[in-house]
Amino acid sequence: MNRYDATDALAVACLRALSLDEIDTANSGHPGMALDIAPTLYLLYRDLINADPKRPSHFGRDRFVLSAGHVSALLYAMLHLAGYDLPLDELKKFRQLGSLCPGHPEHGLTPGVDATSGPLGQGIAQAVGMAMAEKALKARFPGSEDALSHRVYCLSGDGCLEEGISQEAISFAGLEKLDNLLLIYDRNGSTLDNPTSVSMEENVALRFEAANWRVYEVKDGNDLEEIGNALHEATSPDEKERPTILIVNTTIGFGSELSGSHKCHGSPLGFERSARAKKVLGYPYEPFLVKEECRTRLRETFAARGKLILDSKDEAMKSYLALHEEEGEKLLSALKGEIVLPPREVYELKEKEATRNASGRYLNLLKTYLPSLFGGAADVAGSLKSDLSGEKLFLPESRAGKNIAFGIREFFMGAAMNGALLSGGLRTYCGTFLVFSDYMKAAVRMSALERLPAIYLFSHDSIAVGEDGPTHEPIEQIDALRLIPGLVDFRPADGREVVAAYEYALERKDGPTAIILSRQDLPLLANSSIDKAKEGAYRLEEGNDVELLASGSEVSLALEVRKLLLEKGIEAAVVSVPSFNLLQKMEKVPFKLPYERRIAIEMDTAALYYRYAKNVIAMDSFGASGKDKEVIAHFHFDAESVLERVLDLMQAC
Amino acid sequence: MNRYDATDALAVACLRALSLDEIDTANSGHPGMALDIAPTLYLLYRDLINADPKRPSHFGRDRFVLSAGHVSALLYAMLHLAGYDLPLDELKKFRQLGSLCPGHPEHGLTPGVDATSGPLGQGIAQAVGMAMAEKALKARFPGSEDALSHRVYCLSGDGCLEEGISQEAISFAGLEKLDNLLLIYDRNGSTLDNPTSVSMEENVALRFEAANWRVYEVKDGNDLEEIGNALHEATSPDEKERPTILIVNTTIGFGSELSGSHKCHGSPLGFERSARAKKVLGYPYEPFLVKEECRTRLRETFAARGKLILDSKDEAMKSYLALHEEEGEKLLSALKGEIVLPPREVYELKEKEATRNASGRYLNLLKTYLPSLFGGAADVAGSLKSDLSGEKLFLPESRAGKNIAFGIREFFMGAAMNGALLSGGLRTYCGTFLVFSDYMKAAVRMSALERLPAIYLFSHDSIAVGEDGPTHEPIEQIDALRLIPGLVDFRPADGREVVAAYEYALERKDGPTAIILSRQDLPLLANSSIDKAKEGAYRLEEGNDVELLASGSEVSLALEVRKLLLEKGIEAAVVSVPSFNLLQKMEKVPFKLPYERRIAIEMDTAALYYRYAKNVIAMDSFGASGKDKEVIAHFHFDAESVLERVLDLMQAC
């Protein structure tokens, strides 16, 4: 007996038709994959995803990430039919300003969209991060499994698998044995420019097996029975050791005149061709007409099951809370994203310390106050000082481990932590050397796009790295981070400013913070202030002849230069700028001298300072390999050289 | 009979000892992998690499890329023994300022170093690019095979294989059937922080097989016979269909007290421990003592063979040139990196055209003048207009194809083209949507570090992208590119400025150029100038009340605003800034009004403009999904809105 009947076929046809209607109305979008993968997506919602359209943020729900974000039209059609609060009127405004149906899925905008996607590959990595978070949170609260358990589903095309980040994610998911993850790969044989025969001739099944994944395959992506069976097997609860991929072989643009051609990947078919395709597909109706039985079928299956299951999870949560009072409070607090900061007086300030060390000590203090802490580094934890001491690695045999050894996979690291934050209940951090923020830039941007309170730790923040040389010395990275809309930079000058950076980052709810740390020792400043640092910039010393602006290691340099200037009878004010982004938001900037008499000092491009200072002492080349002090002197950033440059600039004014 | 004798064993011990000496003297470096992979590297030079230390830039030489760049000490020791012009005195200055032996290998600095490396994964991608270039150049000049043929060798550790870019490179190399590539993977079971058991538990052999690679394995990385045999088999000339990987199982820090521990990955052993290790390894001599027989052995093997083979290639070249006069001249010109630009009058200027289209037309004109052109896009060639029409794809069956379909592998694309440029004889370009320059940032930086004249084409350069929405709309990317030391940005405002961008980029020899292109049509400007555009910035219109600075699509916007201002009796000057980086280098900037009366207009962060203008009309958030004109108006970048903002700013002055 067939499990699926004419109504299911109609619902699939309706999904396809709605997708075409959206795309044609907007005259923009990606019909090819929407047409080919519709049956699979339909059955995923009908049979598997446990979620309640009325409670789209419930922690216990299954997550769905459309890694192939360009197929948003299909997702919106699906969410509409599935009963989410996404009226047809919104679908009619697909890709129009102000619509709930933008060009690519945006988390936080559209109910039922669990992640922002579109930049290829990052959806898979975010899904892996979600699956990690599910494991991690449950393990921290034994007994909560029935309340918290859920699966993560992800749909990708060829593009996501071509992007390198997918391999980082695949390899890591296999290592972590994330059996709560199902990746569906729509193999339609086409990317935007070409058939995949000219760009991806690999054996995908073998590639996943090599990474310890379980592999299933659907031969005919239009055969509901075959898809349904495969989905069922691919989510077998007997599997405890491996994540699963389901390869679904499809024909791009199925049902349309461009079926099988990459030409229907990224261009609308147009109303006429769509009308013919809709007829072929069994849905010969006017645009945006939705047969009620399609909605009803999903109400009876997806929505009904979701309600039951989430109700049972609520019950399980009640039981858990009743049995585990103290832990239960912690869990609820974590799920709400509440933060408990260490009292400032508990944190020891050291007279001389690299800010990476000060950061490490703060993290290790924080872990006793904030049980939801979860993070790690891209194989530089030892240098970044980011390990939580006494805590295990997060591994299959130690799911409660709080330290993540991401391996040398920066981009995945950032995207996975975005996924963990989207998942909820955990407060993440991750980091690497500042120069390698380049490798993960697109994930940092995604944190900002998703308004996630991600914390990035970037150490070895200047040419003071020394021996490793120009490939490892950041020059333009600080400015590059400062440019990202919504990100807040912190480059602390000492231990107090490190505390400021963490407090700001942790109190933040709506965007990422990058904490930029020195490799070398820095002195504790006499006049530094946690509270003032959190404002963005503040005055450390007064002086009426020239105003020096600096951040991080260059603040103590500026103070040293100030002393040398004083010996010459020149009075320099010094302004610490721990956060350039916050400075830009200050109602009243803390400068007293006119623009022409301000000089910024930073051992990097420092190109944004021209907004506040006529002169900038900066790097205009890559660094060099050598002893740190020699490299610094070579680029004229020792106090004597900076003194000379300041004097020259003052004369020129 | 053993092929290797006591002298070979001594040479290996000498390599190890020299590496330790360098690292201990610098008190900085990575002894672990230097110790474990020394035997393999030695045999690679002794038996396989065909290169002449006296002619380190000869095109016909085999290339060697140390993707695990942190093992530079070993490479320098090897190059010294092999007879390159790298005296012991330089090794003694390992990682010191001004030494030929910097922290990570730097191409152009040290003879015998074929690529800059250190940022992990990029070495593999550069090696793949070199292998592509070897195939491509030969195919363009039939008959030149004996003169040009060579192999590419690459050595990587676990880190490179963890980075996603390696998968992009592996997948692409398999697709392209690069049988001229041998990747040696030092599997020492350790990364900086941890044993690989917690970060990389994948089946590497299977992963490579999945990508159509041939896989060999050495069980004991200390067994010279086994290594020698495996290297021999792995370079069998019978293989015509696959690249090859040789997995060499080793013990990190072999011979030292920290043997097998990740703790000897990144920290010097110190002289005492090194002395003990050197004794164990059979080289109990004082630091930097080199037994002459070690050098002699390599003179008799590596250097003697290299000389013979490069001599024979020179002969083959002579024969080729004699037989192919016209083509031979082209080949020599290509190898010298000579450029022939299309005469300007041949390029048609269109009254209204998107600069991406103008760029595509220029490329297609260029291809008839510059036979060394080689490039492509990351699956957006159709949108970027970067296809060379009438030319085939570069594929195994069409090695003379000039268009490369990189797939959606931006990072690999950039790094591979760096490799092709390092290889020589080809002039490359590659591109994607501007927003995805983030995915390849680290490769663009590497172009600048290596001083390679890479050409990057980035289209869809603003919120005018429209429907695709914020994930696809660049905001901070233009400024981020401008920050890279040595890179030159061009954001042309019309067809003339497109010509300027290409001419500048092609004439350049010492660094990369990013050409940033509009998706939307732009008018041909009445007063634009190719020559002036190549200077960086120039005046389009005069006016004494306010000076408007703009680039790309905002230049015509500024001109429109100027007209509206004129209606109000206000005279605005307009300065086009096609290249911000060149503007920064102009001896005399083309501004006439004081700083306070200049206003920059750019539909992105535009944060660098404060150097030249007190006020900047810019984006301070991500974009939005909608019709391009509506999105532009929403962010107040339509002419009326900009007019208002200019008037407000003028009042505030």
Side-chain angles (χ1 to χ4, degrees), chain A residues 172-191:
Chain A
F172 199 78
L175 170 87
E176 291 283 357
K177 302 186 176 174
L178 298 175
D179 58 320
N180 53 348
L181 175 67
L182 175 65
L183 174 63
I184 295 168
Y185 163 39
D186 176 8
R187 182 154 68 189
N188 62 19
S190 178
T191 61

Side-chain angles (χ1 to χ4, degrees), chain B residues 286-445:
Chain B
E286 63 190 86
F288 295 107
L289 184 148
V290 176
K291 292 273 188 184
E292 197 50 36
E293 60 251 58
C294 303
R295 289 201 191 89
T296 308
R297 173 56 49 92
L298 283 159
R299 268 204 297 276
E300 290 164 351
T301 54
F302 166 75
R305 183 181 68 252
K307 183 179 182 317
L308 270 179
I309 285 177
L310 293 198
D311 284 350
S312 79
K313 285 187 190 290
D314 286 343
E315 286 304 312
M317 182 63 102
K318 272 187 208 154
S319 311
Y320 173 78
L321 294 175
L323 284 168
H324 306 80
E325 200 168 336
E326 198 180 332
E327 288 302 294
E329 253 176 59
K330 281 188 197 165
L331 173 56
L332 289 180
S333 168
L335 287 173
K336 279 184 219 154
E338 289 171 353
I339 290 299
V340 185
L341 293 176
R344 289 181 183 173
E345 60 276 15
V346 183
Y347 180 76
E348 186 194 351
L349 293 166
K350 298 205 171 174
E351 283 306 316
K352 207 172 170 62
E353 190 178 28
T355 51
R356 62 173 167 153
N357 291 66
S359 160
R361 291 195 301 104
Y362 192 91
L363 266 181
N364 274 281
L365 180 63
L366 180 63
K367 78 170 195 278
T368 59
Y369 292 85
L370 190 63
S372 59
L373 210 56
F374 189 44
D379 201 46
V380 293
S383 303
L384 184 58
K385 311 293 177 192
S386 60
D387 262 340
L388 303 178
S389 63
E391 303 288 337
K392 289 190 174 165
L393 283 180
F394 174 75
L395 284 173
E397 62 272 22
S398 50
R399 296 284 194 206
K402 295 186 174 186
N403 291 308
I404 311 172
F406 287 100
I408 305 154
R409 303 183 181 97
E410 295 85 2
F411 193 7
F412 163 71
M413 172 173 72
M417 291 298 89
N418 287 339
L421 287 170
L422 289 169
S423 185
L426 294 167
R427 199 60 203 263
T428 69
Y429 64 93
C430 66
T432 181
F433 292 154
L434 177 58
V435 76
F436 298 126
S437 62
D438 283 352
Y439 273 59
M440 60 191 300
K441 161 72 202 323
V444 180
R445 183 178 215 249

Side-chain angles (χ1 to χ4, degrees), chain B residues 213-232:
Chain B
W213 283 57
R214 190 165 61 140
V215 180
Y216 287 94
E217 186 163 342
V218 168
K219 287 209 184 80
D220 178 0
N222 287 309
D223 183 335
L224 289 185
E225 295 297 326
E226 191 194 356
I227 300 167
N229 290 335
L231 283 172
H232 184 72

Side-chain angles (χ1 to χ4, degrees), chain A residues 95 104 120 162-164 168 171 191-193 199 202-203 210 379 381 408-410 438-439 441 468 595, chain B residues 95 104 120 162-164 168 171 191-193 199 202-203 210 379 381 408-410 438-439 441 468 595:
Chain A
R95 291 186 158 226
H104 291 80
L120 293 176
E162 290 183 0
E163 290 287 2
E168 299 180 7
S171 179
T191 61
L192 190 59
D193 272 344
S199 72
E202 64 194 39
N203 185 331
D379 202 44
I408 304 153
R409 302 183 181 98
E410 296 85 1
D438 283 353
Y439 273 58
K441 161 74 203 323
D468 273 339
Y595 181 77
Chain B
R95 292 188 156 223
H104 292 80
L120 294 176
E162 290 184 358
E163 290 286 2
E168 299 180 7
S171 179
T191 61
L192 189 58
D193 271 343
S199 72
E202 64 194 41
N203 185 328
D379 201 46
I408 305 154
R409 303 183 181 97
E410 295 85 2
D438 283 352
Y439 273 59
K441 161 72 202 323
D468 273 339
Y595 181 76

Side-chain angles (χ1 to χ4, degrees), chain A residues 118-133:
Chain A
L120 293 176
Q122 288 195 65
I124 297 178
Q126 292 192 110
V128 171
M130 290 175 178
M132 290 164 64

Side-chain angles (χ1 to χ4, degrees), chain B residues 521-579:
Chain B
D521 277 348
L522 301 179
L524 186 67
L525 305 176
N527 300 329
S528 61
S529 154
I530 299 176
D531 286 321
K532 287 184 186 167
K534 285 168 79 173
E535 291 174 18
Y538 63 108
R539 303 181 71 77
L540 285 177
E541 296 288 351
E542 298 299 331
N544 289 319
D545 296 323
V546 63
E547 211 160 40
L548 304 179
L549 288 63
S551 78
S553 52
E554 284 75 85
V555 177
S556 42
L557 174 66
L559 291 167
E560 220 180 316
V561 171
R562 179 177 188 271
K563 270 191 203 154
L564 297 174
L565 284 167
L566 264 184
E567 286 169 16
K568 295 185 186 293
I570 297 167
E571 295 186 353
V574 174
V575 178
S576 179
V577 187
S579 172

Side-chain angles (χ1 to χ4, degrees), chain A residues 524-542:
Chain A
L524 186 67
L525 305 176
N527 300 330
S528 61
S529 153
I530 300 175
D531 286 320
K532 286 183 186 168
K534 286 168 80 173
E535 291 173 17
Y538 63 107
R539 303 181 72 78
L540 285 177
E541 295 289 349
E542 298 299 330

